[in-house]
Amino acid sequence: MTAANHRTGKGHKDENFPVASLIIRRDARAPVMAYYAFARVADDVSDSPILAPDMKLKLLDAMGASLRGERENEPEAVALREVLRERGLSDQHAHDLLTAFRRDVTQLRYTDWDDLMDYCRYSAMPVGRYVLDVHGESRDTWPASDALCAALQVINHLQDCGKDKRALDRVYIPLPLLIAGDLTPDVLLEPVAPPALLDIIHHLAKRTDALLDQAEPLAAQVKDLRLAIEVAIIQRLARRLVRLLLIRDPLSDRVHLTKMETLCTAAGATLSTLWQRMTGGGTRAVPAGKKP
């Protein structure tokens, strides 16, 4: 049995944010998709409702072994390994993802914001770093990219907080916040969020908005115009979703953008980025917690 046997069929078009879209350079799409395919299979394993935890860990270890060249039985890992070899890229960003997926199997609760950010260090930040490496961007872009990727991860956690609890008993909302609100994780099973839970979600959404403040300079820092446009689109989509989390209940409401809203947001971000590049404008670095 291999990890690939447990694919759910979910693909890059099902994600909240663009993955290797037609915006980025053609030569960058294949390596980004190889990384996504690797991540998708590992994610499917860690989220499987039928696999026992020890089997999940065994399959994730097998993916790591195939990535290192010690085995050949995990096709997505082998394919990514070849891409990394051809491009002269490190496999660290892929191994970091496996660390996060193992944590998804073994850690179902989080103690505070820092604990959640440490999870994002492995689950989300490596994705942005990998894409930047594929494009040959400077590591100076990593701090802003890390903030953006962490924000995207928390947005996803808040959108799916009810589903994660029901399907996997996984709760990313820090447990002390629930306790302080006189709540237990089972509140996430309710059809409608009570006011105390909404207060917690709003608090986390505001902290996520602060991460997006830190990420704001990224599009201007990225040298590749196509990637800069994609970053700007993702940043603006994330802002819109945070606004929805501040006014909607993820347990009972749809906290997603419509296709038209997504297209309009993408168009606005594209035009804004092109104008900034044409006029020599940009975004200066923003200290943590400060508005640009």
Side-chain angles (χ1 to χ4, degrees):
M1 180 170 59
T2 69
N5 295 137
H6 298 278
R7 284 179 291 199
T8 62
K10 183 177 179 180
H12 68 284
K13 293 182 179 179
D14 301 308
E15 302 293 342
N16 274 337
F17 300 96
V19 177
S21 74
L22 295 177
I23 295 172
I24 68 172
R25 296 195 323 251
R26 180 179 297 180
D27 67 295
R29 276 181 230 140
V32 171
M33 284 305 301
Y35 187 81
Y36 174 79
F38 174 86
R40 180 72 267 151
V41 170
D43 195 18
D44 288 344
V45 166
S46 69
D47 287 352
S48 172
I50 61 173
L51 287 172
D54 59 343
M55 181 54 69
K56 291 181 180 183
L57 295 174
K58 182 177 179 180
L59 290 173
L60 292 172
D61 286 346
M63 291 190 72
S66 289
L67 184 64
R68 291 189 297 271
E70 298 167 2
R71 300 176 65 173
E72 301 291 332
N73 61 324
E74 297 294 346
E76 287 79 10
V78 172
L80 178 58
R81 187 182 77 213
E82 288 304 304
V83 166
L84 297 175
R85 181 186 60 78
E86 292 169 3
R87 293 270 178 154
L89 297 171
S90 168
D91 62 1
Q92 187 59 52
H93 302 317
H95 283 295
D96 284 347
L97 283 183
L98 292 178
T99 296
F101 293 130
R102 291 186 188 98
R103 193 173 296 184
D104 276 336
V105 177
T106 60
Q107 182 174 347
L108 301 180
R109 303 289 186 268
Y110 288 80
T111 59
D112 54 26
W113 180 261
D114 289 342
D115 195 18
L116 187 59
M117 288 300 100
D118 185 65
Y119 170 76
C120 291
R121 161 64 185 86
Y122 295 97
S123 69
M125 296 177 191
V127 179
R129 293 179 181 189
Y130 176 80
V131 173
L132 290 166
D133 283 359
V134 166
H135 285 81
E137 298 288 340
S138 167
R139 290 195 173 190
D140 291 342
T141 60
W142 280 16
S145 173
D146 288 351
L148 178 58
C149 291
L152 303 184
Q153 183 73 85
V154 177
I155 288 169
N156 181 257
H157 289 334
L158 295 177
Q159 286 175 313
D160 295 341
C161 59
K163 183 176 70 174
D164 287 338
K165 170 59 179 167
R166 285 192 305 273
L168 298 160
D169 191 31
R170 195 180 289 161
V171 178
Y172 294 102
I173 293 175
L175 193 56
L177 292 180
L178 294 173
I179 294 172
D182 198 25
L183 302 171
T184 71
D186 285 347
V187 71
L188 298 172
L189 301 176
E190 297 292 332
V192 176
L197 179 58
L198 288 177
D199 287 345
I200 293 170
I201 291 171
H202 295 164
H203 166 73
L204 293 172
K206 289 174 183 176
R207 296 205 70 167
T208 304
D209 206 36
L211 286 174
L212 292 174
D213 288 344
Q214 296 174 41
E216 195 70 43
L218 182 58
Q221 292 172 349
V222 168
K223 294 180 180 180
D224 186 278
L225 175 59
R226 288 181 169 221
L227 181 59
I229 290 172
E230 178 139 309
V231 166
I233 290 171
I234 292 172
Q235 172 85 7
R236 195 166 295 192
L237 289 172
R239 290 281 194 190
R240 294 286 303 275
L241 288 170
V242 166
R243 298 297 177 264
L244 290 183
L245 285 165
L246 290 170
I247 61 174
R248 294 185 184 173
D249 173 5
L251 298 189
S252 61
D253 299 330
R254 186 177 186 276
V255 190
H256 293 80
L257 300 176
T258 66
K259 287 186 178 181
M260 183 55 66
E261 287 171 331
T262 299
L263 287 173
C264 290
T265 301
T270 299
L271 292 173
S272 177
T273 304
L274 288 171
W275 176 254
Q276 288 180 0
R277 292 294 171 111
M278 288 172 59
T279 59
T283 307
R284 61 183 175 80
V286 180
K290 299 293 185 181
K291 292 284 184 182

